[in-house]
């Protein structure tokens, strides 16, 4: 591997780490609301969250590019705040990746929250625990498998992104060129040896992620024993 390959790997890991942290912060309240609400909007919000699962990445990337461009609402806002435009920057990659990986964080958390049921929350209420204390002392420990699954899936999905990051970030070395784009560049240049190294690393990484998911998640382990 050369310096460009190592730079792409570092940038990809940095992107996946930042996106996973942001998704934990943003996805947890969304998943909690979806698990607890009886609002008629639950179906609509759930469909919007799950949209990246079926929407082609290039379509999502195209509309994000328009929104964050100089004539889009987000682009005008960032320019008025003196932040410049987000496309072809690392922050732009982060925002696009958060949208694209959102269901991989929200859905495992929602399932974990729904599996808790009402009984633990009622017991906490009888002990005069505040909603905040109940969430951190009861809900979070019981939903730990969901947090684990969501974090692993969101991180792995961000690492493997291609269409969205190419549309939003382009192909700028050490700024927006991630591993998937670097592999594409090697193949386009007929540099198959370098492609094999990076692609092989991705295969090993994907296997280790799935192995971690199936061995460290208690619910998954119990299902396997059955």
């Amino acid at each position: 591997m050369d310096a460009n390959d190592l730079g792409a790997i570092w940038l990809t890991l940095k992107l996946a780490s930042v996106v996973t942290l942001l998704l934990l912060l943003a996805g947890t309240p969304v998943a909690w609301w979806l698990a607890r609400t009886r609002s008629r909007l639950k179906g609509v919000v759930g469909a919007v969250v799950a949209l990246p699962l079926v929407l082609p990445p290039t379509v999502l990337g195209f509309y994000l590019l328009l929104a964050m461009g100089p004539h889009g609402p987000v682009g005008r806002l960032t320019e008025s705040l003196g932040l410049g435009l987000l496309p072809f920057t690392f922050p732009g990659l982060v925002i696009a990746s958060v949208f694209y990986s959102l269901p991989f964080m929200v859905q495992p958390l929602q399932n974990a929250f729904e599996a808790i049921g009402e009984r633990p929350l009622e017991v906490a209420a009888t002990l005069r625990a505040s909603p905040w204390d109940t969430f951190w002392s009861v809900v979070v420990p019981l939903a730990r498998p969901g947090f684990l699954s969501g974090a692993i899936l969101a991180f792995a999905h961000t690492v493997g992104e291609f269409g969205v990051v190419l549309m939003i970030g382009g192909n700028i070395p050490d700024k927006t060129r991630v591993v998937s784009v670097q592999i594409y560049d090697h193949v386009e240049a007929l540099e198959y040896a370098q492609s094999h190294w990076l692609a092989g690393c991705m295969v090993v990484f994907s296997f280790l992620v799935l192995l971690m998911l199936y061995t460290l998640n208690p619910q998954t382990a119990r299902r396997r024993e059955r």
Side-chain angles (χ1 to χ4, degrees), residues 51 55-69 72-74 167-168:
L51 198 58
L55 197 64
T58 50
V59 174
L60 178 61
F62 171 69
Y63 283 112
L64 287 174
L65 187 62
L66 291 181
M68 294 189 291
V74 178
M167 292 286 288
I168 298 298

Side-chain angles (χ1 to χ4, degrees), residues 33 61 65 90 114 154 161 189:
W33 184 84
L65 187 62
F90 183 77
E114 291 174 347
E161 289 176 0

Side-chain angles (χ1 to χ4, degrees), residues 8-9 11-12 15 93 161 165 176-183:
I9 291 173
L11 185 66
T12 302
L15 174 65
L93 278 184
E161 289 176 0
V165 295
T176 62
R177 182 188 290 171
V178 294
V179 169
S180 57
V181 177
Q182 183 73 359
I183 293 174

Side-chain angles (χ1 to χ4, degrees), residues 101-185:
S101 296
L102 184 62
F104 293 88
M105 177 66 74
V106 171
Q107 291 186 353
L109 282 178
Q110 181 183 347
N111 293 335
F113 290 152
E114 291 174 347
I116 292 174
E118 296 291 337
R119 182 64 178 168
L121 305 181
E122 292 172 354
V123 171
T126 61
L127 297 175
R128 298 183 179 180
S130 66
W132 187 255
D133 289 336
T134 300
F135 183 80
W136 285 105
S137 302
V138 178
V139 175
V140 171
L142 292 177
R144 189 174 300 168
F147 282 99
L148 177 65
S149 298
I152 292 174
L153 290 173
F155 186 91
H157 188 255
T158 304
V159 168
E161 289 176 0
F162 177 72
V164 168
V165 295
L166 186 61
M167 292 286 288
I168 298 298
N171 192 357
I172 306 174
D174 298 326
K175 290 186 178 180
T176 62
R177 182 188 290 171
V178 294
V179 169
S180 57
V181 177
Q182 183 73 359
I183 293 174
Y184 177 81
D185 285 347

Side-chain angles (χ1 to χ4, degrees), residues 2-223:
D2 58 18
N4 289 330
D5 293 336
L6 295 176
I9 291 173
W10 163 247
L11 185 66
T12 302
L13 295 176
K14 178 182 175 182
L15 174 65
S17 300
V18 173
V19 168
T20 301
L21 178 60
L22 292 177
L23 283 175
L24 280 170
L25 296 175
T28 298
V30 174
W32 180 249
W33 184 84
L34 287 172
R36 303 287 299 167
T37 188
R38 296 181 180 177
S39 172
R40 295 179 180 179
L41 295 176
K42 178 178 179 179
V44 176
V45 175
V48 171
V49 169
L51 198 58
L53 293 175
V54 296
L55 197 64
T58 50
V59 174
L60 178 61
F62 171 69
Y63 283 112
L64 287 174
L65 187 62
L66 291 181
M68 294 189 291
H71 303 295
V74 178
R76 291 175 180 174
L77 176 62
T78 55
E79 283 195 311
S80 65
L81 295 175
L83 301 176
L85 295 175
L86 293 175
F88 311 112
T89 65
F90 183 77
L93 278 184
V94 170
I95 293 174
S97 298
V98 165
F99 277 103
Y100 192 50
S101 296
L102 184 62
F104 293 88
M105 177 66 74
V106 171
Q107 291 186 353
L109 282 178
Q110 181 183 347
N111 293 335
F113 290 152
E114 291 174 347
I116 292 174
E118 296 291 337
R119 182 64 178 168
L121 305 181
E122 292 172 354
V123 171
T126 61
L127 297 175
R128 298 183 179 180
S130 66
W132 187 255
D133 289 336
T134 300
F135 183 80
W136 285 105
S137 302
V138 178
V139 175
V140 171
L142 292 177
R144 189 174 300 168
F147 282 99
L148 177 65
S149 298
I152 292 174
L153 290 173
F155 186 91
H157 188 255
T158 304
V159 168
E161 289 176 0
F162 177 72
V164 168
V165 295
L166 186 61
M167 292 286 288
I168 298 298
N171 192 357
I172 306 174
D174 298 326
K175 290 186 178 180
T176 62
R177 182 188 290 171
V178 294
V179 169
S180 57
V181 177
Q182 183 73 359
I183 293 174
Y184 177 81
D185 285 347
H186 283 317
V187 173
E188 195 174 41
L190 302 179
E191 298 171 347
Y192 292 142
Q194 293 91 331
S195 301
H196 276 304
W197 274 105
L198 285 178
C201 288
M202 291 293 289
V203 171
V204 173
F205 171 79
S206 300
F207 173 77
L208 292 177
V209 164
L210 292 176
L211 183 63
M212 217 174 166
L213 188 64
Y214 278 88
T215 56
L216 297 183
N217 190 323
Q219 292 183 349
T220 303
R222 284 197 295 269
R223 285 197 295 267

